[in-house]
Amino acid sequence: MKIELENVLPREIEKRSFELITEELGERTFPEEQEPIIKRCIHTSADFDYADNLCFSEGVVEKAKEAIRNGACIVTDTQMAKSGINKKKLAAYGGEVFCFMSDEDVAERAKKNGTTRATACMDKAAAMNRPLIFAIGNAPTALIRLYELIEEKKLKPELVIGVPVGFVNVVQSKELIMQADVPYIVARGRKGGSNIAACICNALLYNM
Amino acid sequence: MKIELENVLPREIEKRSFELITEELGERTFPEEQEPIIKRCIHTSADFDYADNLCFSEGVVEKAKEAIRNGACIVTDTQMAKSGINKKKLAAYGGEVFCFMSDEDVAERAKKNGTTRATACMDKAAAMNRPLIFAIGNAPTALIRLYELIEEKKLKPELVIGVPVGFVNVVQSKELIMQADVPYIVARGRKGGSNIAACICNALLYNM
């Protein structure tokens, strides 16, 4: 079989990818500020479900950018998401990325309380005295704990990116966080992931 | 809206997820050695397309495990994939994970040759004198370069995990690597990603 490669310069690959995504989306339109986020999720996954499953609370994109401009930090529930977020761009506004999943005190707290480590991470984050964006790409238990902390007025995130992936309580945890009083970007349903969590952070950072 | 959470112990979540995946796959069966890999890809992505798109060269799973047991190292094309691979498990057999994407000499070589950095990374890896598994979750250009290096007999990988994601030459790069004389696990089509690359490595490591 003869395989024909498309001749695209290295620096043009991303641009060409977004053109192809736009072409395939055809007549579909999105709110202007949401469009780069939706398209980047499709770019990251090659999965057009993200054209349908992403839910945005009112004015969330502007609120998120404002938070970043004010030095908000990002807390993630996986080292993979942390590794994928453009930390240099975030640092330009004074923010940092944190993932507490490998911390010893988190492991201890989780064991003591019979929770997941992701839950314990959210408690650790709640004790930080900085404006926070949460990017949850893996653990629905993290999202559920965020919901509780917000309801109990122990935490007031600037933004929750709720895109855990999977089968146990994933769908429910996302519906729950959308009922909380917090700006959110959520991938409704089972899909999501660390890559999607990082990609939404980057879509915000690349379109400031 | 009342949201009902499923009551699952933290340590049972993964087990329960795999049960749900098995349930939804219904009557479908897979070759025994491939099944944990296919199911883990679905677990990582909540995307059942992986039940159809994963292609395995003959005997690849056993060959890959043998390579790991012999201390093979894993080379990836993203820091995200590197971060997601269970490095402790791999180290137990003497292997390490490498990602050269942020290396200065790679950036220089890419600039000089007008290639992507991913291409330059493959050249750097080809100079290593160790048994290598390649886990490519992002850059089709890496996969294309691997094909060339294998054809030119400059590289003889133990395994190529070919799961780049996207729109420009992704489909083609995967068809290409499946024509090379190399053991492969490939996600045919556009889908894949760093998460899938890491997850296939882990599926091998968790089922030794």
Side-chain angles (χ1 to χ4, degrees), chain A residues 7 13 51 59 85 123 141:
Chain A
N7 197 3
I13 293 174
I85 296 169
D123 288 321
T141 53

Side-chain angles (χ1 to χ4, degrees), chain B residues 72-94:
Chain B
C73 291
I74 299 177
V75 177
T76 84
D77 65 332
T78 60
Q79 304 295 350
M80 272 190 88
K82 179 177 172 184
S83 142
I85 295 168
N86 193 320
K87 289 166 283 292
K88 214 169 146 182
K89 286 254 178 212
L90 186 66
Y93 301 98

Side-chain angles (χ1 to χ4, degrees), chain B residues 172-187:
Chain B
Q172 294 95 315
S173 69
K174 291 169 178 174
E175 295 301 322
L176 206 55
I177 205 71
M178 287 193 281
Q179 294 185 0
D181 181 23
V182 70
Y184 64 75
I185 300 174
V186 163

Side-chain angles (χ1 to χ4, degrees), chain A residues 112-155:
Chain A
K112 201 183 111 204
N113 297 338
T115 71
T116 65
R117 277 186 296 150
T119 300
C121 284
M122 298 303 110
D123 288 321
K124 180 162 179 170
M128 288 172 76
N129 196 14
R130 297 179 74 163
L132 295 180
I133 290 170
F134 288 84
I136 308 300
N138 185 53
T141 53
L143 218 47
I144 294 165
R145 187 62 187 142
L146 283 180
Y147 171 81
E148 293 168 349
L149 288 165
I150 294 165
E151 289 294 291
E152 295 165 9
K153 314 253 183 237
K154 289 178 182 160
L155 183 65

